[in-house]
Amino acid sequence: MLLRHLLLPEILDLVEAGRLNEVRDFLATQPGPEIAELLTALDDKDRVLTFRVLPRQLADEVFSLLELPFQDLLLKNMAQEEVRQVISGLSPDDRTALFEELPARVTKGLLGLLSDQDRKQALTLLSYPEGSVGRLMTDRYLTVDPESTVAQALEHLRLRGTDSETMAMIYIVDAKGHLIDDIRLRKMIIADPATRVADLLDGHYASLHSLQHREEAVQVFRKYDLYALPVVDSDGILLGIVTIDDILDVAEQAATEDFHKLATVSPLQISFKDATLGLLFRKRIGWLIGLVIVNIFTGMGIKMFEDTILAVAALVALMPLLIGSGGNAGAQAATLVVRAIATGEIGSGDWWKLLLREIGVSACIGVAMAGAAFFLGWALGDIRVAIVVALSMVTVVIAGSLMGTVLPMLLNKLKLDPATASVPLITSMADILGVLIYFSIANAVLAFFKLPAT
Amino acid sequence: MLLRHLLLPEILDLVEAGRLNEVRDFLATQPGPEIAELLTALDDKDRVLTFRVLPRQLADEVFSLLELPFQDLLLKNMAQEEVRQVISGLSPDDRTALFEELPARVTKGLLGLLSDQDRKQALTLLSYPEGSVGRLMTDRYLTVDPESTVAQALEHLRLRGTDSETMAMIYIVDAKGHLIDDIRLRKMIIADPATRVADLLDGHYASLHSLQHREEAVQVFRKYDLYALPVVDSDGILLGIVTIDDILDVAEQAATEDFHKLATVSPLQISFKDATLGLLFRKRIGWLIGLVIVNIFTGMGIKMFEDTILAVAALVALMPLLIGSGGNAGAQAATLVVRAIATGEIGSGDWWKLLLREIGVSACIGVAMAGAAFFLGWALGDIRVAIVVALSMVTVVIAGSLMGTVLPMLLNKLKLDPATASVPLITSMADILGVLIYFSIANAVLAFFKLPAT
């Protein structure tokens, strides 16, 4: 953070004065993450100029740290040979992340620039479904033959270790490629060098399946507290590893997407800070227009009860309280369920239990709120209004809460995204329910008091 | 996941038949994370019984993997010597996490059971502020003298490495304890054993400050893609390390808390699945009652305009559309800002830029929505209603969006939690604004058409 603010003016001066040699000499001594952060603060032209003067290896690192729109910009402004160098320098998981976001046409062009081996690997990784663990895999891991001695294994690791993303955990693979165990490098380093590796194994290991959704992997990592997990196919063949730094990104991105969806903002794909006005408009307008339709029904509901409203005008003044409370309780319930599904805390086996508990919770909340509403109704209207408002409050709060609980569960059951049960959607639907419940109860109560509404 | 479902009935049978020896023999061969998951599925009595038969080392691991309420239960049901063993077996960071959640009285008792050295360390860690990086620290890291050779350093690591949480990164510390660099174990393993460690250093390293908030650490980890980061004090003295598995937990917990707060649910401290009815009631009722007050103002607003309502009844039917749209646009804006503050994407320097952009975005959204509203108003009322609804829509959407943008920024500026600008709060406040704007515009337009509202 500091570097960016300190260096930005100086770098800008140098870039604008065309003193690119000095820019290169200076940046060559800086760590990649700082340079990546600095690049995002430059304008497009300066960003391209500055990136192109970076030494080869540093450029590779910086490129892999940039967000997609910046990567895209740089690729568009580089000669073919430069593009080839940069994408060849990416690690397999970073390359897949780039390719999956670019238009198919561009990806095809880029694939053509890779070596045969890299292209084959990229195509294999891209063949896993979007959002799957397979697409996060890297091949930079180390395996050891269970029959070798610790000394042989360590020598093997010394020779092969340069390129691996993590050496903390070593994987044990049989002759056919099946994953049979894992072992900590630590355990081998402190073991007697003459021991056979097989004698150090415990037969327990955690692994991911290549077709699993990447958000499930977050919970597996949390459970095992490991820095990397091996990925296998249905036959148990070791395909690659996934590292926890990518999983931290998955967790943060998935949470951000769910936040946005819960507020009816479509996924931005880019940081909020860098989003353009047009992009934000497009990502926000869809649901807002959609909810207009829901709101029309509420309006129609109110119109149905116009006579009741004209008879007891105090009812209208209390309407926002009633329909608002149902929506708020529903928003709480929906958010609790959506987040619990996302973190894997609850599965379909828990639904009936959760639904029963929600009925209990919302009944308690409804009764407590009805107490407050009763006095308000009495103050603003009369005893009739007080009774109407109290009865409606219990019903509306329970109805809103159950809707907020059931809708995300239902969406999940239908293999749709539970976060589509957004707070504005729940609130708007609670409005309709609220109006219908409120004025129906009003009509009934007023009729009971022999003061017909019409 | 599988194990729990497969074994639960069998284990239950064995526990209930009192065949605890068989339970122990069976569980002794299982990995800790699976046993921890299994324990959470048992009832309190069986959980205590099962935990107590676990072999010592396994019990330590399983205990560290359990959520706080379960740890608490076990501690309450163990003899003092067992408690001493379990808390002595915890790693320093896990111990701090347990102590900070327990009542001070209990923590004090537990501290008395620790060895002098462990107690001193625990007290040091607890002296860091709640939520700070300091409290996440562990001392299980390795340092190397820059003047030693690679061979000497590796031998030192071989002897000392058993207890360290990560050996992927080794820290270089001068004689006074200042952190001067870091180096990957990988780099040392593949280096010529005769090289001096100092000659392998690059002078660049990332570190955290012990007083930094732990949520900031999430973003530092994401930036540098490391598995552990060293923690220093203001003098640059190395105090400990923080590992990425704890950071993944921090990220997930912080996101969950923000989700709940955005829906006016106070932090649960326990998983949603395990929360009791009473706890959920207490965590949800507060804000719901609070929002009743906000809703009363909306009602008072409506009451002010009773005459207008009675004159043109179609206006009431369109009210939910107007105030709903303002609330929805505000909810979008608030959620975008709250999440962007939480992920560190935006800081106070960006506010004016973001505010200007939001004015632009909300004006575009407002105009688009006004188009739809105009036709609706015409259909349900007349040209006057159409004009009122269209004009109100633009104003209400802009007002709601700006409120949703400014409120979290303001809270952040005041060092309060931006997520307090919850969606129900924004929606309720937008209701008040919406009613005032809508009926004021209605009065003005009706007056202009020479059809006074009163």
Side-chain angles (χ1 to χ4, degrees), chain B residues 202-368:
Chain B
D202 61 7
H204 288 304
Y205 62 92
S207 65
L208 298 167
H209 192 285
S210 55
L211 299 179
Q212 241 180 324
H213 196 280
R214 57 178 69 177
E215 289 177 32
E216 285 173 37
V218 176
Q219 305 317 319
V220 181
F221 268 90
R222 287 190 72 189
K223 177 172 163 190
Y224 289 99
D225 283 357
L226 292 172
Y227 297 150
L229 278 171
V231 181
V232 297
D233 66 11
S234 310
D235 297 325
I237 302 281
L238 179 62
L239 301 172
I241 62 164
V242 170
T243 54
I244 192 173
D245 53 323
D246 291 335
I247 292 299
L248 182 60
D249 289 339
V250 167
E252 285 285 277
Q253 284 160 6
T256 298
E257 255 192 52
D258 274 358
F259 270 106
H260 291 175
K261 276 193 201 146
L262 267 182
T264 62
V265 178
S266 307
L268 294 182
Q269 315 280 10
I270 181 176
S271 88
F272 173 61
K273 190 185 166 182
D274 299 318
T276 62
L277 196 154
L279 180 78
L280 282 172
F281 174 76
R282 288 194 303 280
K283 298 293 183 182
R284 286 171 62 178
I285 189 70
W287 264 104
L288 287 181
I289 292 280
L291 289 170
V292 165
I293 297 162
V294 183
N295 284 319
I296 293 171
F297 284 104
T298 313
M300 284 164 55
I302 293 177
K303 239 183 140 53
M304 272 170 57
F305 293 102
E306 219 161 51
D307 297 336
T308 313
I309 293 170
L310 294 175
V312 187
L315 288 176
V316 183
L318 287 162
M319 192 176 69
L321 171 66
L322 262 299
I323 64 181
S325 299
N328 292 342
Q332 290 183 332
T335 304
L336 284 166
V337 172
V338 167
R339 181 61 182 163
I341 292 176
T343 57
E345 268 172 58
I346 59 172
S348 43
D350 303 309
W351 289 2
W352 285 111
K353 208 189 91 190
L354 293 176
L355 198 60
L356 284 177
R357 186 182 62 182
E358 184 61 26
I359 293 175
V361 173
S362 60
C364 293
I365 291 176
V367 168

Side-chain angles (χ1 to χ4, degrees), chain A residues 128 137 177-178 207-211 231-240:
Chain A
Y128 293 103
M137 289 195 301
H178 296 99
S207 64
L208 297 168
H209 193 286
S210 56
L211 298 179
V231 181
V232 297
D233 66 13
S234 311
D235 297 325
I237 302 280
L238 179 62
L239 301 172

Side-chain angles (χ1 to χ4, degrees), chain A residues 29 34 158 164 186 189 204 219 222 224 249 252 256 263-264 272 275 284 299 317 332 339 345 357-358, chain B residues 29 34 158 164 186 189 204 222 224 249 252 256 263-264 272 275 284 299 317 332 339 345 357-358:
Chain A
T29 66
E34 306 292 348
R158 206 179 73 78
S164 75
R186 180 161 102 196
I189 288 188
H204 288 304
Q219 305 316 320
R222 286 190 72 189
Y224 290 98
D249 289 339
E252 284 284 277
T256 298
T264 61
F272 173 60
R284 287 170 63 177
Q332 290 183 333
R339 181 61 181 163
E345 269 171 57
R357 186 181 63 183
E358 184 62 25
Chain B
T29 66
E34 307 292 348
R158 204 179 75 79
S164 73
R186 180 160 102 197
I189 289 188
H204 288 304
R222 287 190 72 189
Y224 289 99
D249 289 339
E252 285 285 277
T256 298
T264 62
F272 173 61
R284 286 171 62 178
Q332 290 183 332
R339 181 61 182 163
E345 268 172 58
R357 186 182 62 182
E358 184 61 26

